[in-house]
Amino acid sequence: MGWIGKGLESFSSLQIRPLLEQAISLGIIICSALMIWKGLMCITGSESPVVVVLSESMEPGFQRGDILFLHMNNDPVQVGEIVVYNVKGRDIPIVHRVIEVHEQQSSGELDILTKGDNNDADDRTGLLYAPGQLWLQQNDILGRAVGFLPYVGYFTIIMTDFPLLKYLMIGSLGLLVITSKE
C-alpha cells in the first residue's frame, strides 16, 4: 500500500479543529469588512461611500488613484460641487464637477450637467451620458465628494488592470489566514 497508506496517514493526522478555527476566523474577517461597508453606507447616505478616481479627467483637482469619500443628503446639487454619478448601461461610476443646474418648472426636479475639469467638453457632448440622455437627475447622483486621500487608490487600479495579480493576492491572504497559528 506504500504511498497511498502514507497519504491516508498524513490526512488522518490533520487536525480538524485548528482548520475549522482558521476558516471561522476568515469568515469573521470577511463579515466584519462587509459590516463596516454597510455601516459607512448608512452613515454617508451613499450606495458607494468610497470611490477611486480612475482617469485623469479631474486633474489638477484630483489625480488618477485618489480615493474620494462621498456623502449624500437631500439638499439640491449646486453648481461647482464634485459629484459621483452612475449612468444607465455603465458599471463604473464617474467623478465630475457640476457645471449647470436647471429646475424643471412642472415637476421641480433638477436637470444636472457635469464636466471633468480636464475635459474640453461637457459630459453630454463627450458622450458619457446614456444614449438620448441630455441631463442627469438627482437619483443618478451617488454622492458628493467631501474628502480625499491622494494616490491611495492605485492599489485598486493595479488590481483591476491585472486580474491575475488580484486573484494571487486574495489567494495568498486567504492562505495566510488559514495557515497562521494564532
Side-chain angles (χ1 to χ4, degrees):
M1 234 183 171
W3 64 274
I4 295 175
K6 288 180 183 178
L8 288 174
E9 265 181 47
S10 66
F11 184 73
S12 66
S13 69
L14 182 66
Q15 297 175 356
I16 299 297
R17 186 180 185 120
L19 188 62
L20 284 174
E21 287 175 359
Q22 295 302 325
I24 290 171
S25 294
L26 179 62
I28 289 172
I29 290 170
I30 291 170
C31 288
S32 297
L34 289 173
M35 287 181 354
I36 289 170
W37 185 258
K38 289 293 186 181
L40 284 173
M41 286 174 64
C42 291
I43 292 168
T44 63
S46 176
E47 289 178 34
S48 185
V50 177
V51 295
V52 176
V53 178
L54 298 176
S55 72
E56 294 87 10
S57 69
M58 283 303 291
E59 289 181 357
F62 297 116
Q63 308 293 322
R64 184 172 195 248
D66 289 354
I67 289 184
L68 298 181
F69 300 102
L70 305 181
H71 187 268
M72 192 62 189
N73 55 29
N74 293 331
D75 295 340
V77 174
Q78 303 292 318
V79 171
E81 284 186 310
I82 297 170
V83 297
V84 177
Y85 65 90
N86 233 350
V87 175
K88 294 172 190 76
R90 291 186 186 245
D91 295 333
I92 299 173
I94 298 170
V95 179
H96 280 173
R97 188 179 304 275
V98 175
I99 59 170
E100 284 184 47
V101 176
H102 299 283
E103 186 174 349
Q104 294 178 7
Q105 296 298 330
S106 59
S107 64
E109 288 186 18
L110 295 179
D111 290 332
I112 304 163
L113 183 63
T114 55
K115 176 185 174 293
D117 291 353
N118 199 26
N119 293 349
D120 294 330
D122 60 49
D123 294 348
R124 177 176 40 195
T125 309
L127 303 175
L128 288 178
Y129 294 168
Q133 183 178 11
L134 299 177
W135 302 92
L136 293 175
Q137 303 303 313
Q138 187 80 23
N139 61 354
D140 295 322
I141 308 294
L142 295 177
R144 300 173 168 111
V146 293
F148 77 101
L149 286 173
Y151 304 111
V152 178
Y154 257 108
F155 183 72
T156 301
I157 292 172
I158 291 169
M159 294 295 163
T160 303
D161 290 347
F162 304 103
L164 180 61
L165 184 62
K166 174 173 55 176
Y167 297 127
L168 284 172
M169 182 67 72
I170 291 171
S172 299
L173 289 173
L175 191 61
L176 181 67
V177 168
I178 289 173
T179 59
S180 68
K181 297 291 181 190
E182 294 181 23

